[in-house]
Amino acid sequence: MSTTSSRPDATDSPVESKAGQHPAPPTARPRTKQTGWLFVVPFAVAFALFMIWPIVQGLWMSFTDESLTLSSTEFVGFDNFAEAFGDPDVWSSLGNTLFFTVITVVPLVLVALGMALLVHTGLAGQWVWRLSFFAPFLLPVSVVTIIWQWLYQPDLGMANQALEKLGLEPVGWLSDEQVAMWSIAALTVWWTVGFNFLLYLAALQSLPDQLYEAAALDGAGAWRRLFSITLPQLKRTTGLVAMLQILASLKVFDQIYILTKGGPNNSTRPILEYIYDVGFTGYRLGYASAISYLFFALIIVISIAQLRIFPRQEG
C-alpha cells in the first residue's frame, strides 16, 4: 500500500485549493505594463524635448531681459508684460489679427457649406467639383502667394484688367491700406476653403435618409428640409469648423509676410509677425516671449468660450 500523499498542483485554481480566499492576480500583467511603457518612452521623450521644454524655457525667458545683443541675462519680473500692455504696436497688430479672423471665418464657414450642399445635391461630374474645390488646399503657401501676386499686379494683373473692362478705376490691391487686408482675406478663403468643404461633405453624407423620406411623405419641400433637417443636423460640424477656422486665422503669418511683410504702413501686420520682428529683428527675445504668452492666454480664453458655446453632446 502506497504511503505517498498527493500535493496540490500549482496550476490548480486557487479557489479550489483555498476555499474562501480571493484568487491571486495573474503574474503576466505587470510584465505587460512594463512592455507598454517601453513603447511610450520614445514619444514621451520627444514630447518633453520638443514641446514641454520649449514651453517652460519660453515662459522663463518672458521674465528676463534676454537679448541676442546682451552678454548676460537678468530677471525683470513682470516688466515685459507691463511693457506689452502699454505698447501701441501690440494692440494695432492684435487688432489686425482679430479683423483678419472676423473677415475670413464667416466666409470660410458659409462658402464651404454652400459648396458642400451644391455637391451633395448630385450635380453631374462629381469628381470635377470635388477636385476643383479641394485642390487649392493642397498647394504650398509659396505657390499660392505667387499666383495671387500676379492677379494683384497693379498694371498687368487680371483683377485690375477686369475692373478696366467694367469701366472702373484700378485698385491697389496690396498697396492700399484700406484694401490690402481684404485682398489677403480673399486669397486665404480661396486657398483653405477646401478643407472645410470636405468636413461638411462628410457630415452631409452621414445624415440618415429616413429623416428626408419621412419629411417628403409629410410634404416638406427642399427648402423646408434644408432648414428643418440639414442645417440642424450640421450644427455640431459647424461648431467644429468655426473653431478650427478661428484658431487657424489667429495664427496667420506666412501669406501676409510673403505678400506684404505687414505693409502698407503696418496695416496688415498680424501679432505673430510683430513677435517675430521683436525677437529676430529687434533681438529682444524676453519681450517677444512675453507677448507670445499674452497671445497664448487670449487663445485659451477663446477656446474655453468655444467649449461653453458648443458643449459636447452626450451619447
Side-chain angles (χ1 to χ4, degrees):
M1 181 178 183
S2 172
T3 59
T4 57
S5 61
S6 61
R7 302 179 60 184
D9 192 346
T11 59
D12 289 344
S13 170
V15 177
E16 295 178 359
S17 59
K18 295 182 179 180
Q21 295 185 3
H22 294 291
T27 57
R29 194 163 185 172
R31 194 178 307 165
T32 304
K33 287 184 177 179
Q34 294 175 359
T35 307
W37 277 108
L38 293 177
F39 286 100
V40 173
V41 165
F43 170 78
V45 171
F47 185 79
L49 286 177
F50 297 104
M51 292 295 293
I52 302 300
W53 174 247
I55 291 175
V56 174
Q57 177 71 11
L59 182 61
W60 163 252
M61 194 183 299
S62 66
F63 291 102
T64 68
D65 64 346
E66 183 164 343
S67 172
L68 295 176
T69 60
L70 297 178
S71 57
S72 62
T73 301
E74 295 183 0
F75 182 78
V76 296
F78 289 94
D79 288 355
N80 288 330
F81 293 94
E83 182 181 351
F85 278 110
D87 189 347
D89 288 334
V90 170
W91 293 107
S92 64
S93 57
L94 182 60
N96 292 336
T97 304
L98 296 178
F99 178 65
F100 175 83
T101 301
V102 172
I103 65 176
T104 54
V105 169
V106 175
L108 279 170
V109 173
L110 296 180
V111 173
L113 175 61
M115 292 161 57
L117 290 172
L118 186 65
V119 171
H120 190 63
T121 55
L123 291 175
Q126 284 282 310
W127 70 272
V128 176
W129 293 104
R130 298 185 188 203
L131 178 64
S132 302
F133 292 156
F134 187 70
F137 184 72
L138 302 177
L139 297 176
V141 62
S142 56
V143 175
V144 173
T145 51
I146 289 174
I147 292 174
W148 283 79
Q149 273 181 332
W150 290 342
L151 294 176
Y152 287 150
Q153 280 289 327
D155 298 326
L156 303 176
M158 184 183 295
N160 275 343
Q161 288 186 357
L163 291 179
E164 290 179 1
K165 289 184 179 179
L166 295 175
L168 301 175
E169 293 292 328
V171 175
W173 299 100
L174 299 177
S175 58
D176 190 334
E177 295 182 17
Q178 304 298 325
V179 180
M181 187 63 87
W182 292 95
S183 303
I184 296 171
L187 174 156
T188 305
V189 171
W190 175 82
W191 179 28
T192 62
V193 73
F195 180 73
N196 298 340
F197 156 74
L198 203 63
L199 293 178
Y200 270 122
L201 187 61
L204 285 171
Q205 291 176 342
S206 66
L207 296 181
D209 295 333
Q210 295 86 345
L211 295 177
Y212 295 97
E213 293 171 358
L217 290 175
D218 291 339
W223 290 105
R224 182 67 174 175
R225 293 196 297 270
L226 173 64
F227 287 101
S228 298
I229 298 177
T230 304
L231 295 184
Q233 292 291 322
L234 293 177
K235 181 179 178 181
R236 186 71 177 161
T237 304
T238 301
L240 173 66
V241 170
M243 190 58 209
L244 292 177
Q245 203 53 63
I246 289 173
L247 295 178
S249 296
L250 288 174
K251 296 186 299 181
V252 63
F253 174 77
D254 38 13
Q255 64 263 43
I256 292 180
Y257 187 76
I258 295 174
L259 274 178
T260 64
K261 287 185 171 54
N265 197 21
N266 295 330
S267 61
T268 61
R269 182 169 65 176
I271 185 69
L272 291 187
E273 185 178 342
Y274 182 62
I275 294 172
Y276 173 83
D277 291 339
V278 170
F280 296 98
T281 304
Y283 306 128
R284 298 185 62 192
L285 298 181
Y287 183 47
S289 298
I291 302 173
S292 300
Y293 275 87
L294 289 177
F295 185 55
F296 179 59
L298 174 64
I299 292 178
I300 290 179
V301 171
I302 293 175
S303 301
I304 293 175
Q306 183 269 337
L307 292 177
R308 297 294 181 90
I309 296 173
F310 302 104
R312 292 184 177 180
Q313 296 178 351
E314 300 293 338

